[in-house]
Amino acid sequence: MDEAGVAGWVTSDELAEARRFVREGRRREYLTWRAVVRRELGADVRIAYDAAGAPVVDRDGVYVGVSHCRGRVAVCLSDVPCAVDIEPEARDFSRAAPRYMSPSEQALSGDPLLPAAVWCAKEALYKYARRPGLDLLHDLRVETVDFAAGTVVGRIGGGEAIRLTLHRADGFITVYTV
């Protein structure tokens, strides 16, 4: 959305903040996710960030997760803590993969979209944990990826298994907590 599309859904402070971004696309991402949250929760909802840098809203029992990449924004709203990540399927993860995928994760599937799915799952787990400083390779694990079923199972540290949903549409992969 551009400024005209978000009119009535964002604050003047948010418009001023968005104008500080160098890239037009980043401005649109910033304004769009805020407009989506207010469209769903009401124009008067206040948006802030918690100590971990995660977005929060001033509605009891409402949690928000946000992700953006070039040309797309993903927002999840839930009555339980949630997180989301989105990436284009065409993004090349080959150079970064050794820094976030363990050998056991690399062996999960022969699907060429596995690196993107694992990246999105680990980003979603990182956001869900709300603990800055977690290492994508060592602290976050993906145990299964089932493209046909649209599911991913991961863990934060030695914690319990967390089921995530994997969704593909229009050339993008989105992974979010259930």
Side-chain angles (χ1 to χ4, degrees):
M1 294 181 179
D2 58 15
E3 285 189 31
V6 299
W9 297 112
V10 297
T11 67
S12 58
D13 287 345
E14 290 167 337
L15 286 170
E17 179 69 22
R19 289 185 187 114
R20 293 186 198 139
F21 293 116
V22 174
R23 272 193 329 103
E24 174 64 25
R26 179 66 184 101
R27 276 192 290 275
R28 288 182 178 192
E29 293 162 5
Y30 175 86
L31 295 171
T32 298
W33 80 259
R34 285 164 172 74
V36 169
V37 167
R38 291 200 180 95
R39 182 189 70 205
E40 298 301 315
L41 299 178
D44 63 334
V45 71
R46 287 189 327 219
I47 299 169
Y49 294 93
D50 67 14
V56 294
V57 295
D58 65 345
R59 296 290 190 270
D60 287 337
V62 177
Y63 298 88
V64 61
V66 175
S67 182
H68 50 82
C69 63
R70 193 169 299 237
R72 291 292 165 126
V73 171
V75 176
C76 59
L77 299 168
S78 180
D79 59 355
V80 295
C82 59
V84 62
D85 195 61
I86 187 169
E87 292 290 342
E89 289 181 353
R91 180 174 168 188
D92 181 5
F93 288 90
S94 61
R95 287 182 37 195
R99 293 190 302 275
Y100 71 89
M101 288 180 74
S102 69
S104 62
E105 290 166 336
Q106 292 173 25
L108 289 173
S109 170
D111 192 302
L113 293 177
L114 179 67
V118 171
W119 174 268
C120 287
K122 287 191 172 194
E123 284 286 313
L125 289 168
Y126 184 90
K127 294 172 187 179
Y128 183 77
R130 285 182 160 72
R131 291 193 320 239
L134 291 174
D135 182 270
L136 292 179
L137 182 60
H138 301 290
D139 298 326
L140 304 170
R141 291 194 326 268
V142 171
E143 296 176 349
T144 65
V145 176
D146 186 333
F147 286 97
T151 60
V152 176
V153 175
R155 290 183 193 268
I156 301 165
E160 66 184 53
I162 299 170
R163 185 174 179 268
L164 303 114
T165 299
L166 182 151
H167 179 76
R168 293 179 57 205
D170 302 324
F172 290 84
I173 290 182
T174 307
V175 176
Y176 55 94
T177 56
V178 181

